[in-house]
Amino acid sequence: MKSTFKKTLLASLIVPFAMGAQTASADLITNWGYDVSSIFTNAVPTSGTGTLDGNNTSTLSWGVGPGPQSSISITNVDETSGLMTGGGYVNGGVFTHTNNSLPSQGLALDSFDLVSTLTLTPFAPAPGDSLPASATTFESFFIETGNGGTCVEAAGPDCADIFTIGDVTGSELNEFGNFEFNSSFDLDGYTYTLFLELADLTTLGDPSCEAAGAPSGCVGLVTEENAVNNFQTRFKITAVEMVPEPGTLALLGMGLAGLGLSRRRKAAKS
């Protein structure tokens, strides 16, 4: 093999590894813009008279004729910056249950899915294109409790209504006593983790779980009758630098070894 060809071949092996070592981690994104949009889907009513309206929108309402209506709604959020990596929480949408007393013969909400879609956009150290949107579905159930007799959950002068979530896999109680959901993604040499919290979402007592038709230790929240109940969502983001795969380290080592061999041979010839 000619000396020139050997040098060219060796350089073609070494240069990519050297470049890879330099570009393994881009700049950490320190400030993000964020857009959160949510809708209720697969809404199912109980039996009874009246209507359930608003499926596939951000508001579900139910009631009998022109009488009082109960509803759930959630607001959207769109900010160009302010979600700081390693910083505190920022507010997401507000989940609201307008809980009115309804006729006993009227239908009520039974179950629904809450689909929340988050879009992140790098803002600093340099603005960038939005990341692909990420949607999370929360399978939810609701029980409209009676206002007479013994309450399984008391809130205010009447019995509280109960929401439960079907699947809380990947969540845990945080230091504030609320359940927090997390998910991670990799970008430019860093692993970012998002933490989503809904205020007052916690483990319910067994009587409440039983009343809601949920298993013992269910997770949910309770709402006061004849009141507007607001629950703030919020989230934060953290990041850690990714560790190179062992295979990548081995290839980089081969490249550096080859570079040393080339230099030794050059020194010997001189």
Side-chain angles (χ1 to χ4, degrees):
M1 183 182 293
K2 293 183 179 180
S3 176
T4 302
F5 180 70
K6 286 194 291 184
K7 290 179 180 178
T8 302
L9 177 61
L10 188 59
S12 70
L13 291 172
I14 295 170
V15 171
F17 296 129
M19 291 179 62
Q22 293 170 358
T23 61
S25 294
D27 290 337
L28 173 74
I29 299 172
T30 57
N31 190 350
W32 301 81
Y34 52 96
D35 179 284
V36 185
S37 58
S38 302
I39 62 171
F40 300 108
T41 67
N42 299 320
V44 177
T46 63
S47 59
T49 58
T51 58
L52 169 62
D53 300 314
N55 195 36
N56 297 318
T57 73
S58 59
T59 301
L60 294 174
S61 61
W62 59 96
V64 180
Q69 302 280 307
S70 287
S71 66
I72 57 173
S73 63
I74 190 163
T75 58
N76 295 329
V77 176
D78 186 4
E79 298 290 346
T80 56
S81 65
L83 176 60
M84 310 299 294
T85 302
Y89 288 92
V90 297
N91 287 338
V94 176
F95 176 82
T96 299
H97 179 209
T98 302
N99 190 1
N100 288 317
S101 295
L102 300 178
S104 59
Q105 76 275 14
L107 59 74
L109 180 63
D110 182 60
S111 63
F112 61 94
D113 291 342
L114 170 60
V115 182
S116 291
T117 302
L118 171 65
T119 303
L120 294 176
T121 304
F123 182 80
D129 294 333
S130 297
L131 276 58
S134 175
T136 303
T137 300
F138 299 95
E139 184 185 19
S140 307
F141 303 91
F142 175 68
I143 178 68
E144 184 96 42
T145 61
N147 291 321
T150 303
C151 299
V152 293
E153 286 281 357
D158 298 310
C159 297
D161 291 344
I162 304 168
F163 290 88
T164 59
I165 293 181
D167 185 5
V168 293
T169 302
S171 68
E172 58 185 17
L173 279 173
N174 61 19
E175 66 270 29
F176 305 105
N178 298 321
F179 267 86
E180 192 171 60
F181 299 82
N182 65 77
S183 61
S184 299
F185 63 92
D186 296 334
L187 180 66
D188 291 339
Y190 293 90
T191 297
Y192 295 88
T193 302
L194 281 160
F195 298 86
L196 169 66
E197 176 198 88
L198 173 61
D200 296 327
L201 184 67
T202 190
T203 303
L204 300 179
D206 286 346
S208 295
C209 295
E210 182 180 355
S216 175
C218 69
V219 173
L221 51 84
V222 298
T223 60
E224 184 178 347
E225 191 77 14
N226 293 313
V228 176
N229 301 262
N230 292 317
F231 303 92
Q232 178 71 59
T233 68
R234 60 180 190 166
F235 57 98
K236 64 180 181 179
I237 189 168
T238 63
V240 295
E241 192 167 6
M242 296 172 61
V243 177
E245 294 290 337
T248 302
L249 291 173
L251 290 172
L252 180 58
M254 290 171 59
L256 294 174
L259 180 60
L261 177 62
S262 174
R263 287 176 176 172
R264 285 197 296 274
R265 286 181 175 176
K266 184 176 180 180
K269 287 181 180 179
S270 62

